[in-house]
Amino acid sequence: MRPSTVRCAVEAVTIFVATSVAVLAIMLPISFASLASSVHVDLLVFNVPRAMTGGAFMAVITGAVTVAIGGVRTARWTALLALACILLNHLTLANSSTDGLDGLSLPTLNFIDALLAGIVVGALAVAVWGEPLLRTVHIFAMLGATILGDLTQSPTDADSDGLSGALGGTMPLWFIAASVLTLAYFALTTPAPPRTTAENAIPLAPVFAALIAFTTTIVTALAVAAHKTSAPYLIIASIVVIAAAVVAALILPGRDGILLLLMSGFSVAGSLVVTLPRSGWIDLATLATTAVALWFGIRTPRPLVAAAGVFALACFVFATDIVHPHAGLTAALGCLALGAVAGYCLGTSVPISPTAGVVGLATLFVPSVGVALSDSDFGHLAYSSSWYRTSEVDRGFGPGAVAMVVALGCAIAVWSLMHHRPATPQP
C-alpha cells in the first residue's frame, strides 16, 4: 500500500528538519552566545575547523558502514540514536552555566556535537537515497543548512541581521527534541524496503576518497593560514588542492566524482565571497535561490555549465577584491550567487551512490584554502575572530586568483572525467 500524501509530506518535513539540525550542529559552534566572552574565542578559532572536519569524516564513515551492515533500517535507527545523543549533549550544555565550563569542556562538547551530527548526516543519506523525493529533500537540507550556517555571523555583533539572531546562542532544545520524536515515529512505523544486494563489504572507495580530499584540504588550509602572504605557498596550495580533488574523484566509481570536483572548486571560491553587510531578506532569498537552482540542475544536468558557474563565482570574487564596489551590493549579489551556483552544482551531479553523495557534500564542511585566505591579518584558520567575512578586509588579488586557478583546474577535471567515463542512469 502506498503511503498517504499527508504522511509523505510529514516524512519529508521530518527528514528536512533532522538533516538541518545535524548540518547546523557541524557548521556552527555549540553555543554562539558563549563567544561573547573573549575567554571562549579560542573555541571558535581553533576548535570549530577541526570539529567540522571530524563531522565530515564521520558522515562518510557512517554512510559506508550502514550501507554494508544493514541498509535502510539500520540507517534510520543510527540517525535516530545519534540525533538523540545530540539532544543529550545540548541538554548538558543547557544545564551548565557558561562559567562552569572550563576551557576543555566547551570545546569537547562542540567536538562531540559535530561528530554526532556527522553520523546523522551519513545515516540519513543511506536511509533516503533510494526514494527520489526524500533524497531531494535531504540534499537540499544539507546544502541549504550549510550555506545558512556559513552566512550566520556572531549574534553578539551589533550589525547582526537576517536569521543570525535566530541561530544565536544554541539551537532551541524543543527544535532538536521535535526532530528526535518525529524521526522516532517514522523509524518505528515505516517498513524498510528489502535489500537489493547481498553484498556486505564496506565500500572503501568513498572512505579513501574522503581521506585524501578532506585531509589534504584541512592540512593545506592550515599551512596557508600560517604563510598566506607567500606566493610560493599559494601556488603549491592551488596545485595540491586540485590534485587531491582529482585523485579522490577518480577513486569514486563512474561519474560519482563530479560532485566532489565541483564542490572542491566551489568551497574555495564560496569561502571568499563577502557576506557582510547585508539586509535581513538576503538569507531567505539565498535559500530560495538555492532551491530553484537545485531544481534546474536536476531537470537539466550540465556539469560543465556548473563548472563554468564556479569559475564565474571565482571571477566575481577576484573582481570585487580589486574594484571594491558598494559593500552592501557586493554582499547581496555574492550571497545570491552562492545559492545559485551551489544549488546547480549539486542538482546537476547527484551521485548514484549515497556514500559518494556524502563525500561530495561533506567537502563543504571542511574549511578550505579560501577560509585561510579570507583575512590575511588574522593568522589562523578562520574567516576572522568572529568566523564571518566582511568587506572591511582588503585581501588584494591573491585569494581571488587562487580561487580562479582551483575552479579552472576542477573544471578541466570535470570535462576529462565526463570524456573518459560513461554516464550511468540515475536511480
Side-chain angles (χ1 to χ4, degrees):
M1 178 182 296
R2 295 177 60 86
S4 68
T5 302
V6 173
R7 181 182 174 85
C8 288
V10 175
E11 187 169 12
V13 171
T14 300
I15 297 300
F16 179 84
V17 172
T19 303
S20 299
V21 167
V23 173
L24 289 174
I26 295 175
M27 294 296 298
L28 299 176
I30 190 171
S31 178
F32 235 148
S34 66
L35 298 171
S37 170
S38 60
V39 175
H40 296 290
V41 169
D42 62 334
L43 165 68
L44 187 65
V45 176
F46 298 107
N47 181 256
V48 171
R50 292 156 180 80
M52 293 168 69
T53 304
F57 273 115
M58 285 303 301
V60 175
I61 293 171
T62 301
V65 171
T66 51
V67 162
I69 67 174
V72 172
R73 183 180 296 278
T74 301
R76 287 174 182 164
W77 284 99
T78 301
L80 174 60
L81 179 61
L83 198 61
C85 289
I86 290 177
L87 176 61
L88 179 62
N89 199 39
H90 281 251
L91 284 171
T92 301
L93 177 65
N95 292 330
S96 304
S97 65
T98 303
D99 295 334
L101 289 170
D102 58 31
L104 175 65
S105 297
L106 193 55
T108 299
L109 288 176
N110 185 75
F111 206 89
I112 292 173
D113 213 41
L115 295 182
L116 290 170
I119 294 174
V120 176
V121 168
L124 283 180
V126 176
V128 305
W129 213 260
E131 302 181 42
L133 173 61
L134 294 183
R135 180 177 67 239
T136 302
V137 170
H138 174 70
I139 61 177
F140 169 67
M142 277 193 69
L143 187 59
T146 301
I147 292 175
L148 180 60
D150 185 57
L151 294 181
T152 300
Q153 68 244 45
S154 170
T156 59
D157 190 285
D159 295 328
S160 278
D161 203 348
L163 298 179
S164 297
L167 295 176
T170 185
M171 282 188 289
L173 290 174
W174 65 264
F175 187 61
I176 305 175
S179 64
V180 171
L181 291 175
T182 52
L183 194 59
Y185 172 76
F186 286 108
L188 288 167
T189 61
T190 305
R195 298 194 66 177
T196 57
T197 176
E199 179 65 44
N200 58 2
I202 297 176
L204 294 179
V207 178
F208 285 139
L211 181 64
I212 292 172
F214 300 170
T215 302
T216 303
T217 297
I218 188 68
V219 171
T220 305
L222 287 169
V224 170
H227 305 86
K228 61 187 66 177
T229 58
S230 172
Y233 267 88
L234 297 185
I235 295 172
I236 294 173
S238 301
I239 295 173
V240 169
V241 168
I242 295 170
V246 171
V247 172
L250 291 177
I251 291 175
L252 296 173
R255 294 185 174 183
D256 281 0
I258 290 179
L259 178 61
L260 174 60
L261 289 170
L262 292 174
M263 290 306 176
S264 295
F266 172 80
S267 65
V268 178
S271 297
L272 290 166
V273 173
V274 171
T275 59
L276 289 177
R278 67 179 186 271
S279 302
W281 62 270
I282 293 297
D283 293 355
L284 292 177
T286 301
L287 292 179
T289 302
T290 302
V292 173
L294 176 65
W295 180 81
F296 271 108
I298 294 174
R299 292 292 300 272
T300 57
R302 300 288 187 273
L304 290 179
V305 174
V310 175
F311 182 74
L313 182 65
C315 292
F316 172 80
V317 169
F318 183 83
T320 54
D321 283 346
I322 300 301
V323 179
H324 299 294
H326 183 270
L329 179 62
T330 299
L333 293 177
C335 290
L336 295 176
L338 281 175
V341 174
Y344 191 78
C345 283
L346 175 56
T348 197
S349 57
V350 178
I352 302 299
S353 164
T355 48
V358 174
V359 173
L361 282 169
T363 301
L364 298 179
F365 298 154
V366 185
S368 68
V369 172
V371 178
L373 293 172
S374 292
D375 188 346
S376 59
D377 296 327
F378 187 53
H380 299 293
L381 183 56
Y383 297 125
S384 66
S385 60
S386 298
W387 197 257
Y388 60 88
R389 288 95 82 193
T390 174
S391 59
E392 297 174 358
V393 177
D394 185 4
R395 302 182 300 214
F397 65 88
V402 170
M404 291 171 64
V405 170
V406 173
L408 182 60
C410 290
I412 295 174
V414 168
W415 175 84
S416 179
L417 190 64
M418 294 179 64
H419 182 72
H420 289 95
R421 291 186 175 180
T424 305
Q426 288 286 347

